[in-house]
Short mmCIF file of all heavy atoms in Angstrom, two decimals:
data_model
loop_
_atom_site.label_atom_id
_atom_site.label_comp_id
_atom_site.label_asym_id
_atom_site.label_seq_id
_atom_site.Cartn_x
_atom_site.Cartn_y
_atom_site.Cartn_z
N ILE A 156 27.37 101.79 109.52
CA ILE A 156 28.04 100.46 109.57
C ILE A 156 26.97 99.37 110.06
O ILE A 156 27.00 98.16 109.52
CB ILE A 156 29.21 100.47 110.74
CG1 ILE A 156 30.25 101.34 110.16
CG2 ILE A 156 29.68 99.13 110.90
CD1 ILE A 156 31.43 101.72 110.94
N PHE A 157 26.13 99.84 110.90
CA PHE A 157 24.99 98.95 111.39
C PHE A 157 24.14 98.26 110.20
O PHE A 157 23.83 97.07 110.18
CB PHE A 157 24.13 99.58 112.40
CG PHE A 157 23.08 98.79 112.98
CD1 PHE A 157 23.27 97.34 113.18
CD2 PHE A 157 21.93 99.21 113.47
CE1 PHE A 157 22.27 96.56 113.84
CE2 PHE A 157 21.03 98.52 114.24
CZ PHE A 157 21.19 97.10 114.27
N THR A 158 23.91 99.19 109.14
CA THR A 158 23.09 98.68 107.98
C THR A 158 23.93 97.76 107.11
O THR A 158 23.25 97.10 106.24
CB THR A 158 22.66 99.94 107.24
OG1 THR A 158 23.81 100.59 106.69
CG2 THR A 158 21.85 100.77 108.15
N LEU A 159 25.23 97.73 107.16
CA LEU A 159 25.99 96.81 106.37
C LEU A 159 26.27 95.61 106.96
O LEU A 159 26.91 94.67 106.26
CB LEU A 159 27.37 97.66 106.07
CG LEU A 159 27.29 99.06 105.38
CD1 LEU A 159 28.67 99.54 105.04
CD2 LEU A 159 26.48 98.81 103.94
N MET A 160 25.83 95.23 108.24
CA MET A 160 26.13 94.11 108.83
C MET A 160 25.30 93.02 108.30
O MET A 160 24.23 93.27 107.72
CB MET A 160 25.97 94.23 110.27
CG MET A 160 27.04 95.12 110.95
SD MET A 160 26.73 95.28 112.69
CE MET A 160 28.24 96.18 113.24
N PRO A 161 25.71 91.71 108.45
CA PRO A 161 24.82 90.57 108.06
C PRO A 161 23.49 90.63 108.82
O PRO A 161 23.34 91.09 109.94
CB PRO A 161 25.57 89.34 108.50
CG PRO A 161 27.01 89.95 108.64
CD PRO A 161 26.98 91.22 109.01
N ASP A 162 22.53 90.05 108.15
CA ASP A 162 21.12 90.12 108.74
C ASP A 162 21.13 89.43 110.08
O ASP A 162 20.36 89.99 111.03
CB ASP A 162 20.15 89.39 107.77
CG ASP A 162 19.97 90.24 106.47
OD1 ASP A 162 20.22 91.46 106.51
OD2 ASP A 162 19.45 89.61 105.59
N TRP A 163 21.70 88.30 110.32
CA TRP A 163 21.60 87.68 111.55
C TRP A 163 22.15 88.42 112.63
O TRP A 163 21.58 88.54 113.76
CB TRP A 163 22.36 86.26 111.51
CG TRP A 163 23.87 86.31 111.39
CD1 TRP A 163 24.54 86.44 110.10
CD2 TRP A 163 24.85 86.43 112.43
NE1 TRP A 163 25.89 86.56 110.33
CE2 TRP A 163 26.13 86.63 111.64
CE3 TRP A 163 24.66 86.57 113.70
CZ2 TRP A 163 27.25 86.67 112.38
CZ3 TRP A 163 25.90 86.70 114.36
CH2 TRP A 163 27.22 86.85 113.82
N LEU A 164 23.32 89.15 112.38
CA LEU A 164 23.89 90.04 113.34
C LEU A 164 23.11 91.30 113.60
O LEU A 164 23.00 91.78 114.75
CB LEU A 164 25.28 90.42 112.89
CG LEU A 164 26.16 91.33 113.89
CD1 LEU A 164 26.28 90.66 115.18
CD2 LEU A 164 27.44 91.59 113.40
N THR A 165 22.41 91.76 112.52
CA THR A 165 21.60 93.01 112.76
C THR A 165 20.41 92.67 113.65
O THR A 165 20.09 93.44 114.53
CB THR A 165 21.10 93.48 111.33
OG1 THR A 165 22.12 93.70 110.62
CG2 THR A 165 20.12 94.54 111.51
N TYR A 166 19.77 91.50 113.39
CA TYR A 166 18.67 90.94 114.32
C TYR A 166 19.06 90.89 115.65
O TYR A 166 18.41 91.23 116.56
CB TYR A 166 17.98 89.74 113.66
CG TYR A 166 17.38 89.93 112.23
CD1 TYR A 166 17.57 88.89 111.37
CD2 TYR A 166 16.69 91.04 111.96
CE1 TYR A 166 16.96 89.05 110.11
CE2 TYR A 166 16.15 91.19 110.69
CZ TYR A 166 16.27 90.28 109.66
OH TYR A 166 15.75 90.35 108.54
N TRP A 167 20.35 90.22 115.90
CA TRP A 167 20.68 89.94 117.24
C TRP A 167 20.98 91.31 117.95
O TRP A 167 20.58 91.42 119.12
CB TRP A 167 21.99 89.08 117.23
CG TRP A 167 22.41 88.71 118.57
CD1 TRP A 167 22.09 87.64 119.31
CD2 TRP A 167 23.35 89.50 119.46
NE1 TRP A 167 22.70 87.60 120.53
CE2 TRP A 167 23.54 88.75 120.57
CE3 TRP A 167 23.89 90.72 119.33
CZ2 TRP A 167 24.24 89.20 121.73
CZ3 TRP A 167 24.73 91.07 120.46
CH2 TRP A 167 24.82 90.36 121.59
N LEU A 168 21.67 92.26 117.30
CA LEU A 168 21.84 93.46 117.93
C LEU A 168 20.53 94.24 118.20
O LEU A 168 20.41 94.86 119.31
CB LEU A 168 22.73 94.38 116.92
CG LEU A 168 24.22 93.82 117.05
CD1 LEU A 168 25.01 94.63 115.82
CD2 LEU A 168 24.96 94.21 118.28
N ALA A 169 19.59 94.17 117.31
CA ALA A 169 18.41 94.87 117.40
C ALA A 169 17.51 94.43 118.56
O ALA A 169 16.81 95.12 119.34
CB ALA A 169 17.49 94.80 116.22
N SER A 170 17.68 93.09 118.89
CA SER A 170 17.09 92.51 120.07
C SER A 170 17.80 92.54 121.35
O SER A 170 17.34 92.16 122.45
CB SER A 170 16.72 90.94 119.79
OG SER A 170 17.93 90.27 119.66
N HIS A 171 18.99 93.22 121.30
CA HIS A 171 19.79 93.37 122.56
C HIS A 171 20.31 94.72 122.79
O HIS A 171 21.45 95.05 122.96
CB HIS A 171 21.07 92.51 122.46
CG HIS A 171 20.77 90.93 122.64
ND1 HIS A 171 20.28 90.13 121.56
CD2 HIS A 171 20.83 90.05 123.64
CE1 HIS A 171 20.05 88.97 121.97
NE2 HIS A 171 20.38 88.83 123.28
N ASN A 172 19.34 95.66 122.49
CA ASN A 172 19.60 97.09 122.66
C ASN A 172 20.80 97.64 121.84
O ASN A 172 21.85 98.17 122.37
CB ASN A 172 19.95 97.36 124.24
CG ASN A 172 19.61 98.90 124.64
OD1 ASN A 172 19.60 99.74 123.73
ND2 ASN A 172 19.41 99.14 125.87
N ALA A 173 20.52 97.58 120.52
CA ALA A 173 21.59 97.97 119.62
C ALA A 173 22.13 99.33 119.84
O ALA A 173 23.25 99.74 119.65
CB ALA A 173 21.22 97.86 118.13
N GLU A 174 21.12 100.29 120.30
CA GLU A 174 21.47 101.78 120.40
C GLU A 174 22.48 101.92 121.51
O GLU A 174 23.55 102.53 121.35
CB GLU A 174 20.24 102.42 120.75
CG GLU A 174 19.15 102.65 119.70
CD GLU A 174 18.31 101.28 119.49
OE1 GLU A 174 18.44 100.48 120.53
OE2 GLU A 174 17.53 101.11 118.59
N ALA A 175 22.23 101.24 122.63
CA ALA A 175 23.26 101.31 123.72
C ALA A 175 24.54 100.66 123.33
O ALA A 175 25.73 101.15 123.69
CB ALA A 175 22.67 100.59 124.98
N ILE A 176 24.63 99.56 122.60
CA ILE A 176 25.72 98.87 122.11
C ILE A 176 26.64 99.80 121.24
O ILE A 176 27.90 99.82 121.49
CB ILE A 176 25.43 97.47 121.41
CG1 ILE A 176 24.80 96.50 122.44
CG2 ILE A 176 26.75 96.99 120.79
CD1 ILE A 176 24.34 95.19 121.86
N PHE A 177 26.05 100.38 120.31
CA PHE A 177 26.75 101.34 119.37
C PHE A 177 27.19 102.49 120.13
O PHE A 177 28.18 103.10 119.57
CB PHE A 177 25.86 101.56 118.19
CG PHE A 177 25.90 100.42 117.13
CD1 PHE A 177 24.83 99.64 117.02
CD2 PHE A 177 27.20 100.13 116.43
CE1 PHE A 177 24.86 98.60 116.16
CE2 PHE A 177 27.12 99.05 115.47
CZ PHE A 177 25.96 98.27 115.33
N ALA A 178 26.47 103.02 121.09
CA ALA A 178 26.91 104.10 121.71
C ALA A 178 28.23 103.79 122.61
O ALA A 178 29.08 104.65 122.60
CB ALA A 178 25.73 104.62 122.93
N VAL A 179 28.24 102.57 123.12
CA VAL A 179 29.43 102.09 123.84
C VAL A 179 30.59 101.97 122.72
O VAL A 179 31.63 102.49 123.04
CB VAL A 179 29.23 100.79 124.57
CG1 VAL A 179 30.58 100.14 124.83
CG2 VAL A 179 28.17 100.99 125.63
N ILE A 180 30.31 101.45 121.66
CA ILE A 180 31.39 101.28 120.70
C ILE A 180 31.88 102.48 120.12
O ILE A 180 33.14 102.81 120.09
CB ILE A 180 30.90 100.39 119.59
CG1 ILE A 180 30.61 98.93 119.87
CG2 ILE A 180 31.95 100.45 118.36
CD1 ILE A 180 29.95 98.05 118.78
N GLY A 181 30.97 103.47 119.90
CA GLY A 181 31.41 104.86 119.14
C GLY A 181 32.14 105.64 120.24
O GLY A 181 33.28 106.13 119.99
N LEU A 182 31.63 105.66 121.50
CA LEU A 182 32.35 106.46 122.42
C LEU A 182 33.66 105.85 122.94
O LEU A 182 34.68 106.63 123.16
CB LEU A 182 31.36 106.66 123.61
CG LEU A 182 30.23 107.54 123.50
CD1 LEU A 182 29.28 107.57 124.70
CD2 LEU A 182 30.45 108.92 123.24
N GLY A 183 33.61 104.54 123.07
CA GLY A 183 34.81 103.83 123.47
C GLY A 183 36.01 103.93 122.45
O GLY A 183 37.06 104.25 122.85
#
Side-chain angles (χ1 to χ4, degrees):
I156 295 174
F157 187 23
T158 61
L159 300 177
M160 292 180 173
D162 289 342
W163 67 268
L164 183 56
T165 300
Y166 294 144
W167 186 89
L168 289 170
S170 62
H171 290 81
N172 202 344
E174 295 80 8
I176 292 174
F177 280 106
V179 168
I180 292 173
L182 291 172

